Every structure is written in structure tokens, then in C-alpha cells.
Amino acid sequence: MIAALMLLGGPGSAFAQSLQADQELEALIPDSAVQNADAWAIDTDAARTGAPPETLIEEIEADTAMPDIPGMTIAWPDGSELPTIEPLSPDPDIDVAEQSTEAAVDALPGQEETDAGVGTKLADADIERVGKQVELAFPRGTDAIPDQGAIAERFAGLSALKSFDDDEDNLAQIVRRARTDRELLVNILRIYGYYDAQVYQSLGGFSAPADGEAAGPIDVEKVVVRFDMQPGPQYRFGAIGFGDLAATGNDFQSLRGAFKLNTGDAINSDRIVAERLNLQGALGETGYAFAKVGEPDLLIDHERREGDLNVPVTPGGVYSFGRIVSSRENFLSSRHLDRIARFDGGDLYKRSEVDDLRQAILATGLVSSVTVETREVTKPVAGTPGTVDVDVTLTPAPLRTIAGLIGYSSGEGFRVEASWEHRNFFPPEGMLRVRGVAGTQEQLAGVTFRRNNFLKRDLILNADLYARNQVSDAFEARTVSLTAGLERQTTLLFQKPWIFAGGIEILATSERDASAIRANEPRTTYFIGALPLRGAYDGSDSLLDPTRGFRIGLRASPEISVQNGQKSTYGKVQLDASYYQRAGESVVVAGRVRLGTITGAPIDNIAPSRRFYAGGGGSVRGYGFQQIGPRDALNEPSGGRALTEFSLEARVKTGLLGGAVSVVPFVDAGAVDTTTTPRFQDLKIGVGVGIRYQTNFGPIRIDLGTPLNPSPGDSRIGVYVALGQAF
């Protein structure tokens, strides 16, 4: 035992102390209990060996009394050793909410100061309500804030209370958001130069309890958080530095003038950001191709109540344009890119013209991405500008497109159009398109060639060859046509105010009018040559869905027609004008007028397909296609030489489907006369309502119209489905 104790650490070791405790406990146990324990062990052995227990130990009498359980004690730690138990405390926001509630109720109806460390209300304040739960109290008089409206608008866009004012919240959540909004308001005031501003927060919207009555529960939906602002003095700019900008020499004054902040002006962080961009732009427009304008540094001095501003500028030198270098000469050559660019070699560098080149390349539709970078070729020397080449890295986009269009109107029936095109079949920008139309009243097959940016930017060369069959109540025509011309076209990326087109048209058409169809007479063949011209001005804000502005266009086409050996010459003129005006946030009023005339030949010498007709989805809704105008003896439309159309509609957004659906009530009117000037003797009026569903590529249009003064045989309802607005 001693050896074991020594081996395990000696008499004082933990093991020795445990062994001694076991010996002392064993001495307290009576012998009878030990005998019982031995008997249990023997029974266990017997069960293991299979021997009867009576062979191992004398049987225990059933009435033998059990020994007493020995007394045992466990040492409990002293109270000084117990850990300190902190009592549970409520959410601080709940505590603040309760205090604010009590303070707000105590303050009613006229107390100026609230408890809960929230602050003091202004005695004379200009209140602006923000959402359902917030009031902003601005001071009046000499402490009035000039930028009050801008501050309120900015706060409304970022406020947590306003963002969640429709949620079912408890008072603690409102207080938590109010604390966040208070910090937000302090930061906004600093943006406008109020660095000593104090913002006090209080709760309102409570009713004072009657005398002797305890305050009842608070209706959280009526709680209003008020922020009272004491702006203090507005800090102003002290010294303003611009790094190395003075190295620009003669350009310094104009460049400094681009940064329209001066010593003594009120500090405004938004204007610092805006003026930095203006300075960067001015450097780029003055030839400084590699100029850098760093992040501004504003140092606030509370003692002077001023801020010293440092704008680090590294101007570099002045450069002129050199060459344009394409990364894909066989796709869009450097020569073609030079034709697209608005600058020539030797011109002073302008960053806006580099950005314009990038946009123009994207507008071709031939690339999925483009990178335009300037590269130094020669450095500026002794006042002589350096030279930069423009490197253009192109990533081609998919060049082939298969497109389809399905339309329907009750007057024209169904129309299905399909096309295949390759936008760079003849590089550069030589498009080939094959198209076909299958419809109730029209069948067509054609091929089109188009060269964009031909000879100069935005000039387009077109050539079109097609064969068409038309069948309508007014006439039947089988036509082969070849057209070619030049035009200046507008696009979605570059909507141009002025556009023009001119060319030549040669066609052969075999036709018969409605009376010849009824009499089963043979067709008349016309050989027609025309010089179609078009000029237009677009002052609207959108090509597909205009909301303001106007458009006006004039078409003129001198034509020569030969039929049955008889030659006729005449001129065809058409004027189109439309106007768009907002009448509120969700309503656009649009109006349209179209006037046309054909002079120089009697109507019988003009092919039926070249005459004027009215009626249909793009004309007077409610009437069938080409159903308005003079009629023959069999009451079939025969066309005329004078055209008049008017349209007025209101495009009203409903808010359905996220504002994508609009309802459009409309009224249209039109007339066609056999004379060369309008007489309005048979003016037809149609009214109806339409639905527009806005998509990424323009609105889908569904219109239902009805005629107010129909002619015999006119349908009572017209249905029109198409892409885009009616005009």
C-alpha cells in the first residue's frame, strides 16, 4: 500500500485521499450488509457457472431485516462561490417605447418637452408628413432650411419607418426604426452642410386621458414619430485646392470654371460629387486624354465652421486623335469604323466622341460587347499635342435572326409574317433578309438588302424586291416591285429628330377593282415608276411608346403610270402629324391627323392599289379595312384622291400587373373623297376602348371599336391586335 501511494504521488496525492475515503466508508458498513453483497456476488457467479446458489452460500431467510442505510453527507460550496445571477432586463427598445409613451401622454395637449431623452419640440415649425408614421418639423424664420424640400424627399426615399409603415408592428419596433431614421436624418443634414444639427425624436398620435382616468392602451396604428430639427449654422467652403490643375496653363481658368464651387459657398456633398464629374468631363473634352481626378477630401473645422476641400487632379498632357484600329478587320474594318466615328485624325481629343463611337458600334447590332481604349503613340512636346490611337476590341454577336409576327383584325383577318436575316452577310454591315407573309388578304415573298452607315454615318442604302398578291373588298392586285434608295433612319439607341428618305420604285401590277371583280372582268396591267420622297421631324420622347412631344412627316411621290398603252402622270402627297401630352402621372393624351391628296390624273387612270382608302386598325377603328370612302354601284369601296383622318385617345395606366396594363378609350374619324381636296361629306366616326400590355419590346395593343354612323354592310364591332401604339 505504501509503495502504491508513493508511486501514485504519495500520501497527499488525490489518489491517496480517495483511497483513504473508501476505507473510512467501508468501516461504517455493518457486517450483515457485506454478507448480503457477498451473497449477490455469489448468485451472479452461480448464474454464470450454472451451479445452484445453495452450493455456494447459505440461503438467506426471507424475513431477515434489511440493514439501515448509512448516513452520508456532501459538502455544499459556500455562498461566496456561487456565480452572480443577473436579473432579466426588458428589450431596451421596449423600455424606451414605454417611456416615450408615458412622456407623450403626459405632454398632451401642449407640453413642449418630452421624457425618454428624446428632445424638445419646435414651438413654430413647418411640418412635412412622410408616409403614415413620420412627421418632419423644420424651423421657420431665420433658422429655416433652404433645402427643406430636398431633405424631406431624400429622407422619404431611405426612411425605415416609411418603408414598413404598412406592416403590423409593435411599439418597440417603431422606436427601433425611429432611432435608425434619426441617425439617417442627421447624416442627411450633414450632406447639406449642417454639421452641428440636432434632431429630436418624439412620439405622437395619442389622445390625452380624461381627468382622473388612467391612460389606456396605445393604438400602434395611430402612432406618429416626429423629428424636430435644429440645424444650427450651415458650414461653408474654406480653401479649395485642385492638385496639379494649374499645370494646364492657359486652360486652367476654363477648367476651374467647370468646377462650380467656390470659397464661401454652402457645403453640399452632392454638389461636390457632381462638380468632380463636371471637372473630369471638362478635362476629357479639352484634350486631356489621360487626366485623373481623385476622390475629394473635405476637412471640417468646427471652430471656423468651414470645410477645406482638396480635389487631387493629375491632368497629364493634351492629345489629338490618330488612327482607329479594329481588332477584327474582316468583320468591321478600321476603315468602316473611321466612317462611323464623328472625329477625324488630327482632331483634338474629346472623350465624348470616344463614348459616341462606342454607342454607335453597339447600335449596329453586330457586337455583343465592345471596348474602346486610347493608346498613346507620341507624347506632348513643347506645347505640341501628343497623339493617341483608338483601339476597338469587338466581340461579335449572333448575326442570324428568325422572326415572326401574328396579327388579327376583324376587317383584315389573320396575318402571319416570318423572316430570316443575316445582319453581316456582306461585310461590313451588309444585311440580307428573306421574308414572307401569309394572310387572309395578303400573301408576299421578298428579299431585302441593306447597308448601314453607307458612305457616311447614319446613311442607309436599301434595295427591296418582292412579289405580292392582295385580295380585298376594294381591289385585287398581283404585284412585282423593285425599290432602291437612301435614307437616314432613327434607332432606339439614337433617336434622331430629323430623318429623310429618297429613292426609286419600279413595279408591274395586274389589278381590278370591286366592280370588275363582281363582273368577272379581266385585270388591267399597270407599269408604274415613282420617286418616293419622305422627310420627317420627331420631337417625341420614345419611338414605341411616346408620352410627350410631337411628330410631323411629309411624303411625296411623283409617279408615271402606263396601262393599255395610255400614260398618266400624277403626284401623291401625304402629311402625318401626331401630338402627345401628359395629363397627370398615369394619363397620356395623344392626337393624330393625316391628310392626303393625289393630283394630275383622273381616278380611273390611277391603279386601285395606289389610291387612298380609310378604315381599319391603323386608320379609323370600328370600321373594316379600307371600308371608308367612295363606293361603286354594288356598294363596294372604290378608293379616292383625297384622304382625311383624325384620332384622339387617352392612354390611362391602371396599376394592374405592376403598371403594365393601360386602358385606352379612343375616337377616330376619317373620310375619302374622289376630288383632290377633302369635302367631309361622308365623314365616318368610330369609338371604342383598347388595352395595352407593356413589354420590354413595346406595348401589345388590343382595340375594340364600333362605328357611330355605319354604312350598309359595316360590322358593328371591330377587333384589332398588333404590336405598338396605334400611332
Side-chain angles (χ1 to χ4, degrees), residues 255-271:
L255 293 173
R256 174 62 182 88
F259 193 91
K260 295 180 174 58
L261 288 176
N262 298 291
T263 299
D265 291 346
I267 290 178
N268 186 307
S269 299
D270 289 340
R271 288 199 59 193

Side-chain angles (χ1 to χ4, degrees), residues 202-549:
S202 60
L203 296 181
F206 306 100
S207 298
D211 293 340
E213 292 185 4
I218 300 300
D219 186 352
V220 177
E221 293 184 358
K222 297 181 179 180
V223 170
V224 175
V225 179
R226 170 168 164 160
F227 296 105
D228 289 77
M229 284 165 276
Q230 293 181 355
Q234 189 175 24
Y235 283 39
R236 301 193 172 268
F237 286 110
I240 301 179
F242 294 95
D244 297 331
L245 186 63
T248 57
N250 294 333
D251 295 328
F252 175 78
Q253 290 300 327
S254 61
L255 293 173
R256 174 62 182 88
F259 193 91
K260 295 180 174 58
L261 288 176
N262 298 291
T263 299
D265 291 346
I267 290 178
N268 186 307
S269 299
D270 289 340
R271 288 199 59 193
I272 294 175
V273 174
E275 297 304 330
R276 172 181 177 255
L277 294 177
N278 289 339
L279 178 56
Q280 181 78 58
L283 285 162
E285 294 301 290
T286 317
Y288 295 89
F290 303 104
K292 295 181 180 179
V293 180
E295 291 292 333
D297 180 28
L298 182 62
L299 179 62
I300 298 298
D301 188 329
H302 290 274
E303 183 176 353
R304 291 188 290 125
R305 291 177 178 173
E306 290 183 341
D308 294 332
L309 178 64
N310 180 47
V311 183
V313 178
T314 306
V318 177
Y319 292 83
S320 297
F321 285 113
R323 300 181 306 117
I324 298 177
V325 181
S326 173
S327 65
R328 292 178 175 266
E329 285 292 336
N330 295 329
F331 182 72
L332 287 177
S333 65
S334 300
R335 180 182 177 185
H336 188 69
L337 295 180
D338 189 65
R339 183 181 299 143
I340 293 175
R342 297 192 186 278
F343 57 85
D344 297 319
D347 290 350
L348 186 67
Y349 173 88
K350 290 186 177 180
R351 183 166 299 166
S352 61
E353 293 183 346
V354 174
D355 294 337
D356 176 80
L357 176 61
R358 180 185 298 106
Q359 291 296 319
I361 295 173
L362 289 173
T364 64
L366 302 181
V367 298
S368 59
S369 66
V370 56
T371 302
V372 181
E373 296 178 334
T374 53
R375 172 171 47 86
E376 185 181 60
V377 178
T378 61
K379 294 182 177 296
V381 178
T384 302
T387 303
V388 291
D389 284 350
V390 179
D391 294 332
V392 180
T393 304
L394 305 169
T395 302
L399 300 177
R400 299 170 181 82
T401 299
I402 298 177
L405 178 66
I406 299 176
Y408 171 81
S409 71
S410 55
E412 299 178 67
F414 286 97
R415 175 186 171 91
V416 179
E417 183 173 349
S419 65
W420 172 91
E421 72 176 26
H422 190 300
R423 288 182 294 280
N424 204 31
F425 194 84
F426 303 101
E429 293 196 79
M431 184 211 71
L432 181 68
R433 177 189 294 142
V434 179
R435 71 187 193 280
V437 176
T440 306
Q441 296 188 354
E442 180 184 13
Q443 300 83 45
L444 179 146
V447 58
T448 301
F449 167 78
R450 184 180 69 200
R451 172 86 71 186
N452 290 333
N453 297 305
F454 176 70
L455 298 180
K456 61 179 297 184
R457 177 166 169 172
D458 297 332
L459 188 64
I460 300 171
L461 172 65
N462 284 315
D464 188 43
L465 174 66
Y466 68 85
R468 179 170 61 184
N469 180 55
Q470 292 174 277
V471 179
S472 69
D473 294 339
F475 65 88
E476 293 179 350
R478 296 171 182 168
T479 304
V480 176
S481 173
L482 172 65
T483 62
L486 296 172
E487 68 174 309
R488 186 175 189 263
Q489 192 177 47
T490 186
T491 66
L492 292 176
L493 284 179
F494 290 99
Q495 184 176 352
K496 303 174 183 67
W498 291 100
I499 58 176
F500 62 84
I504 185 171
E505 181 181 13
I506 301 173
L507 62 89
T509 178
S510 178
E511 303 183 4
R512 57 181 178 176
D513 58 17
S515 59
I517 296 173
R518 289 293 185 92
N520 199 26
E521 296 178 356
R523 298 170 182 261
T524 301
T525 300
Y526 298 83
F527 297 95
I528 300 173
L531 298 174
L533 305 171
R534 177 175 178 253
Y537 176 80
D538 185 355
S540 68
D541 62 342
S542 172
L543 285 178
L544 298 178
D545 190 16
T547 61
R548 55 182 170 81

